[in-house]
Amino acid sequence: QAVVTQEPSLTVSPGGTVTLTCASSTGAVTSGHFAYWFQQKPGQAPRTLIYETNNKHSWTPARMSGSLIGGKAALTLSGAQLEDEADYYCLLSYSGAWVFGGGTKLTVL
Amino acid sequence: QVQLQESGPGLVKPSETLSLTCTVSHNSISRVYWNWIRQSPGKGLEWIGYIYDSGNTNYNPSLRSRVTISLATSKNQFSLNLSSVTVADTAVYYCARAGVGLPVAWGQGTLVTVSS
């Protein structure tokens, strides 16, 4: 089974920019992996921010965007706000089988 | 907008079968995947498996021998059975809807504790 790797933790200053990445043990992440990004705050269910690499949910802030960078899926936050402090999980699809990354704890400080 | 709600026992004894149901409302889309996902306390998300509208299933290889997901379309529900549970199966269990061109829609989650 593939392993999906994320940065365990990242810190960004308010107003700053940070990029979270999602790597696959099988090689480069492509559009065929239908990358998803989820945000989870303590005590809450995850919510979808990005689906199929770069599509935003209706509630996804404009400052968040998804892409493929250097063979990885990426979530970029431009102009971070205190409310963005949360755990972020990526998800890759391998011919229908899902594999989650271990999550990135984002601190806004 | 689609809504999903998990239900089932919050406490299951070791070696028994965990059974949960997800009730779906306001879903007007076909050709979707109905998923179960879990999160152990303080840990990350783990995909359990899905059932497609056609009834085809796909399970996490690490759980495949113990998992059954079924669909009851007439009741707008789908279910999870996880057999021979141990304390390692203690987790918040989420149901979720996915599909091509769709964001994943999540239920609120339900905590299941495995303990004697």
Side-chain angles (χ1 to χ4, degrees):
Chain A
Q1 187 176 0
V3 175
V4 177
T5 302
Q6 298 181 245
E7 298 87 358
S9 63
L10 290 170
T11 300
V12 61
S13 300
T17 296
V18 64
T19 297
L20 289 66
T21 68
C22 177
S24 171
S25 64
T26 63
V29 177
T30 70
S31 59
H33 289 97
F34 300 100
Y36 296 80
W37 289 94
F38 307 102
Q39 180 191 65
Q40 187 179 35
K41 295 185 176 181
Q44 297 183 13
R47 66 170 191 166
T48 302
L49 294 175
I50 300 291
Y51 61 101
E52 295 176 356
T53 304
N54 56 11
N55 294 290
K56 297 184 181 184
H57 202 293
S58 57
W59 56 51
T60 304
R63 61 184 179 275
M64 296 183 182
S65 62
S67 63
L68 296 176
I69 300 175
K72 300 179 183 180
L75 174 70
T76 299
L77 280 72
S78 303
Q81 300 187 8
L82 294 178
E83 67 204 52
D84 297 329
E85 187 161 293
D87 294 327
Y88 292 82
Y89 293 92
C90 71
L91 166 68
L92 300 180
S93 176
Y94 295 84
S95 300
W98 284 5
V99 182
F100 284 94
T104 295
K105 184 175 185 62
L106 181 67
T107 300
V108 182
L109 187 62
Chain B
Q1 187 153 344
V2 66
Q3 295 178 350
L4 302 96
Q5 180 65 58
E6 305 86 352
S7 60
L11 181 64
V12 181
K13 290 182 169 55
S15 80
E16 295 188 343
T17 296
L18 179 159
S19 296
L20 296 174
T21 296
C22 182
T23 301
V24 182
S25 56
H26 310 300
N27 180 64
S28 60
I29 301 173
S30 60
R31 295 192 291 177
V32 294
Y33 299 83
W34 303 104
N35 290 266
W36 287 98
I37 296 149
R38 70 181 183 179
Q39 186 171 34
S40 300
K43 303 295 185 183
L45 299 167
E46 180 182 29
W47 176 70
I48 299 170
Y50 70 65
I51 186 165
Y52 189 56
D53 273 349
S54 64
N56 290 341
T57 55
N58 194 355
Y59 301 137
N60 186 323
S62 67
L63 298 169
R64 182 173 292 139
S65 63
R66 299 194 291 129
V67 172
T68 303
I69 298 176
S70 57
L71 192 59
T73 53
S74 62
K75 295 183 179 179
N76 292 324
Q77 295 179 329
F78 63 106
S79 299
L80 168 70
N81 279 352
L82 181 65
S83 63
S84 305
V85 298
T86 70
V87 293
D89 294 308
T90 293
V92 175
Y93 286 76
Y94 297 99
C95 59
R97 184 205 71 183
V100 174
L102 296 175
V104 175
W106 294 78
Q108 300 267 16
T110 186
L111 173 63
V112 179
T113 301
V114 179
S115 175
S116 55

